[in-house]
Amino acid sequence: MTRRVIALCADSHAGNRVGLLTPGTELTDPDNTADTYIPNLSPYQEWLWGHYTEWMQQAREFAGSDTLEVWHNGDAMQGLKYPNQLMTTSISDQVLIARKNLNAWREYGVETMRIFTGTASHNFGEGSGEILLKSLLEADGLNVTLYHHALLTVHGVEFDVVHHGAGPGSREWLRGNVARFYTRDRMMADIVAGKKPTACFLRAHYHTYVKEVVTLGDYESVMVI
């Protein structure tokens, strides 16, 4: 059976001074909208881009000749609520940076993307940033679907995907507790409703990686933040 390999990412915050920025991205000149300029990456952005490139390569190698698609789980842009964190206050520039960041996957054979709306303060409200991003990526030839919250099935495995949800825990010694209780609650709700629990819950927002596996009787579910 041909695999569908899912590369999951989130919270790239295009437009933030330490957000993801693809080298060579052209932005609008604030003094002359007819001109463009290419911003220099900060040391942190260079570090982040190096890891992002490495990760894209690893995903492609893992997928081999099978299908590789990208799911971006919210906050592709920074928004305007926190101006002291911005490298650009231009809404259009933030969308262009996010577009370039996701277009980078095309070099690794990605043709399909699923984009999820994030936090209102980071997408200009009402999912506006992701809606604009979807249109631009489709114009670039990608197959893009936009969601707020979705139940998606891949080879019979059900995924519950939304940006907001369980947190990683407020202290290092509490790491994973909230995610584990959240998953257990969702599983029990499914069981009470006479439904097989969702196999995998995907959340984001907290910029901290957490993976918890919860077993209830004969059922097992995975939570990934």
Side-chain angles (χ1 to χ4, degrees), residues 35-47:
D35 293 333
T36 60
Y37 75 101
I38 297 176
N40 294 321
L41 275 67
S42 68
Y44 185 84
Q45 287 173 324
E46 290 182 356
W47 175 88

Side-chain angles (χ1 to χ4, degrees), residues 184-205:
R184 187 180 183 88
D185 172 70
R186 293 295 83 212
M187 293 175 72
M188 291 180 69
D190 282 341
I191 293 171
V192 169
K195 177 181 178 295
K196 179 181 178 181
T198 299
C200 188
F201 296 88
L202 303 179
R203 301 294 184 263
H205 187 61

Side-chain angles (χ1 to χ4, degrees), residues 86-224:
L86 297 176
M87 58 170 283
T88 173
T89 57
S90 167
I91 293 174
S92 58
D93 277 354
Q94 290 195 29
V95 178
L96 289 174
I97 294 171
R99 175 192 195 181
K100 193 82 169 179
N101 289 341
L102 286 178
N103 255 314
W105 283 96
R106 298 178 68 191
E107 296 184 24
Y108 299 89
V110 171
E111 298 178 353
T112 299
M113 291 187 179
R114 300 177 189 271
I115 298 176
F116 295 81
T117 58
T119 309
S121 61
H122 293 309
N123 64 21
F124 319 111
E126 301 175 301
S128 299
E130 287 92 357
I131 292 170
L132 291 170
L133 178 60
K134 174 182 183 291
S135 296
L136 290 174
L137 292 172
E138 286 179 329
D140 294 330
L142 286 164
N143 175 23
V144 184
T145 308
L146 177 66
Y147 304 93
H148 296 293
H149 184 182
L151 292 176
L152 304 173
T153 301
V154 179
H155 290 321
V157 178
E158 188 175 51
F159 292 81
D160 180 317
V161 192
V162 68
H163 183 72
H164 295 101
S170 59
R171 298 288 186 272
E172 189 62 35
W173 61 278
L174 297 174
R175 182 64 50 84
N177 281 2
V178 176
R180 189 161 55 253
F181 295 151
Y182 180 104
T183 306
R184 187 180 183 88
D185 172 70
R186 293 295 83 212
M187 293 175 72
M188 291 180 69
D190 282 341
I191 293 171
V192 169
K195 177 181 178 295
K196 179 181 178 181
T198 299
C200 188
F201 296 88
L202 303 179
R203 301 294 184 263
H205 187 61
Y206 290 96
H207 304 190
T208 300
Y209 176 75
V210 171
K211 178 181 177 181
E212 290 290 327
V213 180
V214 179
T215 301
L216 277 180
D218 295 331
Y219 299 114
E220 183 177 277
S221 295
V222 179
M223 162 65 79
V224 176

